[in-house]
Amino acid sequence: MLFKSFSYTKVKESVLKSATNCQDFKTTIFHMFIVQLIQQFFIKITKIFYLGYLDINAYACVTGKPISQGGIHGRVSATGRGVFLAVEQFINEASYMSAIGLTPGFGRKTFIVQGFGNVGLHTTRYLHRAGALCIGVQEWDGAIYNADGIHPKELEDYKLVHGTIVGFPGAEAYTKEDSLIYEQCDILVPAASERQIHSQNCHKIKAKIIAEGANGPTTPAADKHFLENNVLVIPDLYCNAGGVTVSYFEWLKNLNHVSYGRLTFKYERESNYHLLESVQHSLERRFGKSGGGIPIVPSEAFQEKIAGASEKDIVHSGLAFTMEGSARAIMRTAMKYNLGLDLRTAAYINAIEKIYNFYRAAGFTFT
């Protein structure tokens, strides 16, 4: 074994000895922290090299892997794409838009993103492609604003080079004392960390739609305030579920040990060419070939898909289907229990009902 020569006990004893000899309390705490890290490291190594190599499905227990290590195309952008799909479901629903005073569709809608990491970046990219206008981005080290719009690709390229959004030439630095998230916009995407919107600042939020890209960015007190003031909060347990959904697809791929679409690419390509050939022969029988054959040339869009769906196509389609189905279920539940804009409660009810129905069908009883 690669790590057989390493002794966790010896390493631990060595670090603890160093910690004992330290006079500085902070240094001692640091050494203890290192012990914890070493312990976690050896546990993982033990599982992988002593147990995992015996299991053909071992790779499936970890998702978000590189493609070369059994990952799946579309996983990197999945959470941000899921946020976009969640917003899309509700922004195109006239009844919900009427309740918050907006018109359906992305056209002429403005949005602000808090956090320009993986989730914020891809959410911005997809909202921009749909026709919405990004007017502000807030990061831990600064914020930028441009009422005429910020191009996500240009901002992404700038951040890759400079490591920050500060100084981006396509927008101005936001210098007001208050946070950028308090600016007027239609959609606010908190995609940074938890408890960003709470009882002390929720009244400053002017957005009519809050799409929770982060986990728990809105506290219960703030959630209550938004319900009382007709602000649509798309809850995190649904809104940012795109990542774990595609992780599930990756898990299935690993268990099947074959990429999505690989078994059907050739068959679908040949079937589509036979279809074009059949159309050509039908037209030639009807109109004759006196002037020569009637060529049937696939359009550019059809040519791109003539070989069938790629793995990324399948992942995107599966994610869209999942987000749409979940949104419809949340809407039905909200209507059934007269919850109005309280999508969070509706989503929780859906989850609890699924658990209850499973146990009831399995024969368990609840008293």
Side-chain angles (χ1 to χ4, degrees):
M1 287 297 176
L2 180 62
F3 289 89
K4 195 171 183 180
S5 60
F6 286 87
S7 170
Y8 164 65
T9 303
K10 290 182 179 180
V11 175
K12 179 180 178 181
E13 288 177 354
S14 176
V15 177
L16 286 175
K17 183 177 181 181
S18 299
T20 303
N21 295 332
C22 290
Q23 301 299 319
D24 181 30
F25 175 74
K26 290 184 178 179
T27 306
T28 303
I29 293 298
F30 173 75
H31 278 84
M32 298 303 293
F33 175 68
I34 293 298
V35 169
Q36 294 298 320
L37 290 181
I38 294 173
Q39 184 179 17
Q40 293 178 17
F41 170 78
F42 273 90
I43 289 173
K44 291 178 181 178
I45 292 301
T46 301
K47 287 184 177 179
I48 292 173
F49 287 93
Y50 287 87
L51 301 176
Y53 78 99
L54 295 173
D55 187 351
I56 193 175
N57 297 320
Y59 268 36
C61 73
V62 178
T63 60
K65 302 182 294 294
I67 300 299
S68 61
Q69 300 298 312
I72 193 169
H73 291 87
R75 177 61 184 86
V76 173
S77 62
T79 307
R81 188 177 183 88
V83 174
F84 159 71
L85 292 169
V87 175
E88 182 182 41
Q89 294 304 313
F90 289 94
I91 206 168
N92 288 319
E93 195 66 32
S95 59
Y96 281 95
M97 292 302 98
S98 176
I100 62 176
L102 293 179
T103 56
F106 284 106
R108 303 184 70 178
K109 298 291 191 305
T110 58
F111 67 96
I112 291 173
V113 176
Q114 183 193 46
F116 201 67
N118 177 280
V119 179
L121 163 63
H122 289 100
T123 301
T124 303
R125 180 183 294 172
Y126 290 120
L127 288 174
H128 173 81
R129 290 178 185 175
L133 187 70
C134 177
I135 61 173
V137 177
Q138 183 178 26
E139 271 272 65
W140 65 272
D141 58 346
I144 56 176
Y145 182 84
N146 186 349
D148 295 324
I150 298 172
H151 197 287
K153 178 59 177 173
E154 294 175 1
L155 182 57
E156 177 189 7
D157 292 341
Y158 180 87
K159 186 181 179 183
L160 286 174
V161 174
H162 298 87
T164 180
I165 65 171
V166 176
F168 175 62
E172 297 179 355
Y174 190 78
T175 57
K176 295 182 181 179
E177 291 185 5
D178 275 342
S179 173
L180 174 66
I181 66 175
Y182 305 146
E183 283 291 332
Q184 183 69 52
C185 65
D186 297 309
I187 307 167
L188 173 62
V189 183
S193 58
E194 67 278 357
R195 298 177 62 84
Q196 294 300 300
I197 306 173
H198 45 77
S199 60
Q200 302 301 311
N201 69 354
C202 59
H203 61 281
K204 298 181 181 180
I205 302 294
K206 299 182 180 67
K208 300 302 292 182
I209 299 174
I210 298 176
E212 295 186 332
N215 290 324
T218 308
T219 66
D223 209 38
K224 181 180 178 182
H225 168 82
F226 291 138
L227 284 174
E228 293 171 348
N229 289 272
N230 295 327
V231 176
L232 181 66
V233 179
I234 306 178
D236 53 356
L237 74 158
Y238 162 68
C239 190
N240 68 25
V244 292
T245 300
V246 176
S247 281
Y248 170 66
F249 298 159
E250 181 180 338
W251 179 70
L252 291 178
K253 173 187 176 180
N254 293 158
L255 294 182
N256 290 324
H257 301 282
V258 64
S259 298
Y260 289 108
R262 182 174 182 176
L263 302 180
T264 59
F265 282 144
K266 190 173 187 298
Y267 177 83
E268 290 192 23
R269 181 175 62 248
E270 292 178 351
S271 296
N272 285 327
Y273 278 123
H274 286 315
L275 176 62
L276 294 176
E277 185 179 322
S278 176
V279 172
Q280 178 179 348
H281 290 165
S282 297
L283 291 174
E284 289 173 349
R285 283 197 300 270
R286 176 65 178 82
F287 299 103
K289 295 196 297 183
S290 57
I294 303 176
I296 302 297
V297 180
S299 66
E300 184 177 344
F302 184 59
Q303 185 66 51
E304 292 179 356
K305 298 181 181 298
I306 204 164
S310 67
E311 182 172 83
K312 182 179 286 188
D313 293 330
I314 293 172
V315 167
H316 286 176
S317 176
L319 177 58
F321 178 81
T322 301
M323 298 301 290
E324 180 180 352
S326 297
R328 296 300 161 190
I330 291 172
M331 292 178 191
R332 286 194 298 269
T333 301
M335 184 176 296
K336 177 181 177 181
Y337 295 101
N338 195 28
L339 295 173
L341 298 178
D342 191 359
L343 303 182
R344 196 183 308 277
T345 298
Y348 278 128
I349 291 174
N350 278 345
I352 294 171
E353 284 185 344
K354 287 180 181 178
I355 295 171
Y356 169 76
N357 289 332
F358 172 84
Y359 279 106
R360 184 178 63 176
F364 293 95
T365 58
F366 294 86
T367 58

